[in-house]
Amino acid sequence: MTQTSEATVPAQAPPARRRRVHRAWFVAAVTFVTIIGAAAFRSLPGLLIDPLHQEFGWSRGTIGAAVSVNLALYGLTAPFAAALMDRFGIRRVVAVALTVIALGSGLTVWMTAAWQLLLCWGLLVGLGSGSMALAFAATVTNRWFTERRGLVSGILTAGSASGQLIFLPLLSWMVESYDWRPAAVTVALAALAVVPFVWLLLRDHPADVGLAPYGAKEFVPKPPPVTGAARRTLTVLGSAVRTGPFWLLAGTFAICGASTNGLIQTHFVPAAHDHGMPVTAAASLLAVIGVFDVVGTIASGWFTDRFEPRRLLAVYYALRGISLLFLPMLLGPSVHPPMIFFIVFYGLDWVATVPPTLALCREQYGEDSAIVFGWVLASHQVGAALVAYLGGVARDVFGAYDMVWYASGTLCAAAALMALVIRRRPAVPAPAVAVS
């Protein structure tokens, strides 16, 4: 008698669905490319100082004033741009900003007076670049990601350095071999070339494509457009200035801008040229800073997801200050190993401060963090603007930049101490459940 087995043959498991890459990473990639394209204009100011001085006879202080206006507007526009993105969407704001950058840079080729430099490079490029500032990266990170925010903010911040890496050697070669005008036209074309990518590929919110943010457990509906962008920006500022962490974050980031965009990016090439180094060699060293900045910023984002942001900031500023104190002893007519070590070291630290600063803004100010970070970034650019101008004045008065390096190194030491005294925001206790 044959025994019938009652064991059930297991049903074949359905084939595993192939895991798709979340759309947030594509949005981050488009944002990265956009920031790279827009970074061309940030590579040019340091290369313009000597050519404009020689052609028009303008003092370095006058040229530095135009760069200062550019840097200040870059920062002061950022918080309003973040609010405008909430009102009109990221795509529209960024596309208009890139067009304004192209217009301002293109018009400089016809200028004949210093006020035109202030108008084109200072006002127009400053306003456009402010809308393409790190508040753009902060807005994209906050909307599309709930996990890996530190890493993503580090990658997007590194996009600016990558743009510097791509364009700086090319622009310096153009200025040295031909004239500064082809370089200005290249900047304009680079900004225009990115506009189609922004309009066709960038999306304002995950809900636009029916997705939840990366790492979110549930779908997040798209918030309605926020009207009164300027009023909201000023209201957020009015609330933030009543808190101690805002002033500490703004103060440290002002010193960050003073010691990077205002100092090294604007004055390193002419300072190295003062010591006999060719302009192309000095510009290539700045490009190397861009290479290691990518590594340092992405690593800083990874560290920010795992370590205390305040301590990271203190370490970054302390190391930066020490390196600046040694720089006057390293400048010379040729590139030697100690200078290469400085370039690598400074590159790793260049904007490594951004991911922990962003994290502290999110911790302290929640949904308003992108706008608050915009105001913190404004302080960054005000610090950069002051040093861009004062550095040129110091060169005119003292005939050298040594005083500027030493002063900036001392300020970085102060920033390290300020970062350590930022108090953590206490966790909000869960509401008590009434027991009947």
Side-chain angles (χ1 to χ4, degrees):
M1 184 175 178
T2 307
Q3 185 177 7
T4 303
S5 172
E6 296 182 359
T8 315
V9 178
Q12 186 176 2
R17 292 183 61 185
R18 187 177 180 181
R19 178 174 292 182
R20 299 177 59 187
V21 177
H22 195 283
R23 180 67 177 268
W25 294 107
F26 291 103
V27 172
V30 173
T31 305
F32 183 81
V33 172
T34 303
I35 293 174
I36 287 178
F41 63 84
R42 300 188 63 193
S43 304
L44 196 55
L47 304 177
L48 291 179
I49 293 178
D50 284 339
L52 293 179
H53 174 70
Q54 293 168 7
E55 179 173 340
F56 298 106
W58 301 336
S59 71
R60 290 176 175 83
T62 298
I63 301 168
V67 177
S68 295
V69 172
N70 176 291
L71 293 172
L73 286 176
Y74 176 90
L76 294 172
T77 306
F80 294 95
L84 286 172
M85 289 176 189
D86 289 339
R87 174 66 179 88
F88 298 105
I90 298 174
R91 287 196 302 169
R92 292 179 182 177
V93 173
V94 173
V96 170
L98 288 167
T99 305
V100 171
I101 290 170
L103 179 65
S105 182
L107 288 176
T108 58
V109 301
W110 290 290
M111 67 182 179
T112 57
W115 69 266
Q116 295 166 348
L117 177 65
L118 285 167
L119 174 65
C120 295
W121 200 262
L123 180 63
L124 292 179
V125 177
L127 289 173
S129 61
S131 301
M132 283 293 304
L134 292 175
F136 170 40
T139 301
V140 170
T141 302
N142 289 347
R143 290 187 183 184
W144 281 88
F145 293 85
T146 58
E147 293 182 355
R148 303 290 188 269
R149 281 178 167 175
L151 176 62
V152 174
S153 62
I155 293 173
L156 296 183
T157 303
S160 178
S162 300
Q164 177 176 301
L165 163 66
I166 292 169
F167 288 105
L168 191 56
L170 172 64
L171 294 176
S172 65
W173 172 78
M174 285 183 175
V175 172
E176 189 83 357
S177 303
Y178 299 100
D179 189 20
W180 60 268
R181 289 176 177 84
V185 172
T186 301
V187 170
L189 294 178
L192 282 178
V194 182
V195 174
F197 288 94
V198 172
W199 194 256
L200 296 176
L201 301 177
L202 195 63
R203 292 294 178 268
D204 292 328
H205 196 278
D208 290 340
V209 289
L211 293 174
Y214 178 82
K217 304 301 182 184
E218 57 186 19
F219 182 80
V220 178
K222 183 178 181 178
V226 180
T227 58
R231 183 174 63 252
R232 183 185 174 212
T233 303
L234 295 174
T235 300
V236 170
L237 174 63
S239 176
V241 295
R242 296 185 179 93
T243 64
F246 174 81
W247 292 105
L248 291 169
L249 289 169
T252 56
F253 224 41
I255 295 172
C256 178
S259 56
T260 53
N261 302 91
L263 181 64
I264 296 294
Q265 187 166 321
T266 304
H267 293 293
F268 178 81
V269 171
H273 190 56
D274 284 347
H275 287 76
M277 185 179 294
V279 171
T280 51
S284 297
L285 289 177
L286 277 186
V288 174
I289 285 180
V291 175
F292 287 94
D293 179 36
V294 174
V295 178
T297 309
I298 294 175
S300 178
W302 187 86
F303 290 142
T304 302
D305 287 331
R306 290 161 175 79
F307 300 106
E308 172 57 50
R310 295 157 188 77
R311 295 181 181 178
L312 289 176
L313 282 179
V315 171
Y316 296 157
Y317 285 121
L319 293 177
R320 182 183 300 179
I322 292 171
S323 66
L324 284 173
L325 294 176
F326 281 97
L327 181 58
M329 296 178 281
L330 304 179
L331 290 170
S334 61
V335 180
H336 44 83
M339 173 58 76
I340 294 176
F341 179 79
F342 168 84
I343 292 297
V344 172
F345 188 87
Y346 207 84
L348 291 172
D349 195 274
W350 182 267
V351 286
T353 56
V354 173
T357 302
L358 264 172
L360 289 171
C361 284
R362 280 194 295 267
E363 175 188 306
Q364 298 286 339
Y365 303 105
E367 292 297 322
D368 291 329
S369 61
I371 296 177
V372 173
F373 180 72
W375 284 113
V376 172
L377 179 62
S379 71
H380 180 283
Q381 295 308 117
V382 169
L386 285 173
V387 172
Y389 172 68
L390 294 176
V393 172
R395 172 61 178 80
D396 290 334
V397 173
F398 300 108
Y401 284 100
D402 291 2
M403 183 74 68
V404 184
W405 308 128
Y406 294 136
S408 296
T410 304
L411 285 174
C412 288
L417 295 175
M418 293 166 66
L420 287 175
V421 299
I422 299 174
R423 288 186 293 180
R424 301 199 62 169
R425 184 173 183 176
V428 178
V433 179
V435 180
S436 57

